[in-house]
Amino acid sequence: MYKMYINPNIKKGHINKEIYGHFSEHLGRCIYEGIFVGEDSHIPNTRGMRNDVVAALKAIKVPVLRWPGGCFADEYHWKDGIGPKENRKKMINTHWGGVVEDNSFGTHEFMELCEQLGCEAYINGNVGSGSVQEMNEWIEYMTFDGVSPMATLRAQNGHPEPWKVSYFGVGNENWGCGGNMTPEHYANMYRRYQTYVRDYNSDSKVFKICCGANSNDYAWTKGVLETCFKNAPEHLHGFMDGLSLHYYTLPKDNWQDKGNATGFDEEEWYTTLEKTLRMEELVKRHSTIMDEYDPEKKIGLIVDEWGTWFNVESGTNPGFLYQQNTMRDALVAGINLNIFNKNCDRVKMANIAQMVNVLQSVILTEGEKMILTPTYYVFYLYKNHQDATLIHSHLQTTTIGSKAHQVPNLHESVSMNEEGIINITINNLSVTESYEIESILTDWNIKDVKGTILTNKMDAYNSFEQPEAVGLADFTDFTLTEQGIKFTLPPCSVLHLEAK
Ligand code: AHR
């Protein structure tokens, strides 16, 4: 019997809804086909956005969406994507398959998508190949409410009202595809570019995100913060509100052969989960460096790219990063979201890469068909953590896995929402074993519990032929005790318990 201690009296912080954020890049079939099909498409759409995809995304309460990249962001010139579509410039998407980008999805279309989803907009600006003026004018175009050259242009293009830009990234991966800069060089660029990301809208401030590290590149974090904080007025905390972090889970340490999305063995299951659990250490160690400069944690860690990265599905364009999604991805999602919840004092946003048809997607499409992936269902189960309060939990675990790759058998996080409902999300990482769990709640009398579970064999997935092979089921196999809830968690599962 594994004991899970929960103390609702110990409140540990606010879980920003943005931790459940998403990322959509001009990459492969994410935007085009996956989300945007154009008004003339035979696929049912509203102003060009697929109705089926938008409805599914609304059901998981997408809180924030990052766009237009990724590596694409540092090659994107926003003025190419406004005005009459027939006049929009065509460009080569050099990073992703060398295909023609016709710019038919631009700023107006992205803002329309955010409106349909009811989510915040996170725009990623271009530092690598863009000018300060271009970045400055983009912000003016989107947010200025008054008479100005960019506001007038926006009105001429059919949108007199300004939009709200909640988050703005000043460059992406500037240590790599965003310009191959050193931390000091980028930090100086950041200081300069961010100056012109103006707050035109007096009632909504733009949250500025500085480009942070890849994985365990702690020297980048240190170097960027050192330069950004040098002689900076204290109240501006290094001129940033957020610092990003990217970490992808690859089963093999080999970019030429990362491992396949399906058809893997148990060893690869445990290797993958072990690698994804490294997110905890990355968050903690980057945060500790941030503490040196920002002990009050005013700067958020923004994990704006995370998820699995496998070999592409055979027969697909290698530049399109299209991969299937199994129960292993579901466990990866559950573990990472628990980690973000538990580190919500520092992690203020996270964006899974990427929303549709690219890497660890919640949705896959093929023509007019759409399927929901196991990862989608995890976001569905975890949605009640959004904007809730993290409460203290401790779960007894044991180490399982192969000799070389060991992981805890169980992984959890617990929150309480405004109505006083406790939401428990718990993962069983074992491929074969079920575990009996007894939760013990301090000073809490549970009257009612509702359970929902995602469980299947480790490599089960939904396909266009079998779209409902993996899905949610009611979980009723629990008993209420004087102290809490007792239940048995089946192998390879993600469970959500809602306790009143
Ligand atoms: O998500 C795919 C790519 O991964 C992004 O464009 C880039 O930022 C990262 O390297």
Side-chain angles (χ1 to χ4, degrees), residues 381-397:
L381 292 178
Y382 277 60
K383 66 184 188 307
N384 296 312
H385 286 307
Q386 292 191 25
D387 276 337
T389 302
L390 179 75
I391 57 176
H392 173 81
S393 61
H394 174 75
L395 176 58
Q396 291 177 339
T397 59

Side-chain angles (χ1 to χ4, degrees), residues 16-22 57 60-65 117-121 166-167 350 379 386-387:
N16 261 13
K17 66 178 192 307
E18 285 81 355
I19 281 180
Y20 291 84
H22 292 255
L57 293 171
I60 54 172
K61 293 198 345 196
V62 169
V64 61
L65 184 57
L117 293 175
C119 75
E120 308 288 337
S166 303
Y167 298 94
F379 274 80
Q386 292 191 25
D387 276 337

Side-chain angles (χ1 to χ4, degrees), residues 35-55:
I35 298 170
F36 181 75
V37 286
E39 290 180 27
D40 300 333
S41 172
H42 68 281
I43 299 174
N45 69 84
T46 303
R47 290 179 286 283
M49 313 298 156
R50 289 181 72 130
N51 291 345
D52 52 355
V53 169
V54 168

Side-chain angles (χ1 to χ4, degrees), residues 23 25 27 66 69-72 96 172-173 175 177 246 248 305 309 321 353-354 358-359:
F23 169 37
E25 181 167 6
L27 194 178
R66 177 175 183 240
C71 294
F72 183 79
W96 308 119
N172 166 74
E173 296 197 348
W175 36 261
C177 65
H246 289 181
Y248 284 100
E305 289 188 29
W309 194 323
L321 311 186
Q354 298 192 5
V358 171
L359 300 176

